[in-house]
Amino acid sequence: MMRPMLRSFQLVVPAFLLLFMGAPALAQRAAPLGVQSHRVPSAAAHGGVMMADSGGMPRWVKWGLVGAAGGAALFAAAGQSNTDPGHSVAGDALYGAATGFVLVGGAVALWDWLCHGDTSSRRAGMCG
């Protein structure tokens, strides 16, 4: 009973780790992280309130996390029809999270790579 689940776990964990340990792609521009303060244009109306502005995460990571949350929920819900006694909802959620992160985050990274700056894809009108 534990053999198939152990095998699937052995396949998912290395694939998930490759997301974080892979070579950086061109879309992964190095940006310094930190917090900078600046005045809001309407700061006088708010008594000179300072707002924090951080470099933040790259777009593909943000959208990858959104895809991971959606994929985990979708796969966990869809896996409820499985009648296998060794079935795990957590395993379905893990598969869904990895799939959603790769699909959505990868699509955004590809879009940024193809359409960032003056590229031939942008000149051809493929970037909207």
Side-chain angles (χ1 to χ4, degrees), residues 35-126:
V35 177
Q36 301 170 347
S37 63
H38 66 281
R39 289 208 177 265
V40 184
S42 61
H46 298 297
V49 175
M50 299 292 279
M51 299 290 290
D53 181 25
S54 64
M57 287 187 268
R59 280 177 14 104
W60 69 271
V61 174
K62 290 178 188 176
W63 282 104
L65 292 174
V66 170
L74 183 66
F75 276 49
Q80 295 302 311
S81 62
N82 192 343
T83 58
D84 183 25
H87 179 73
S88 167
V89 175
D92 287 342
L94 182 62
Y95 280 129
T99 302
F101 186 88
V102 169
L103 288 178
V104 176
V108 171
L110 181 65
W111 179 270
D112 287 346
W113 177 65
L114 288 173
C115 298
H116 181 275
D118 186 31
T119 61
S120 58
S121 299
R122 183 169 295 284
R123 286 190 302 268
M126 296 169 55

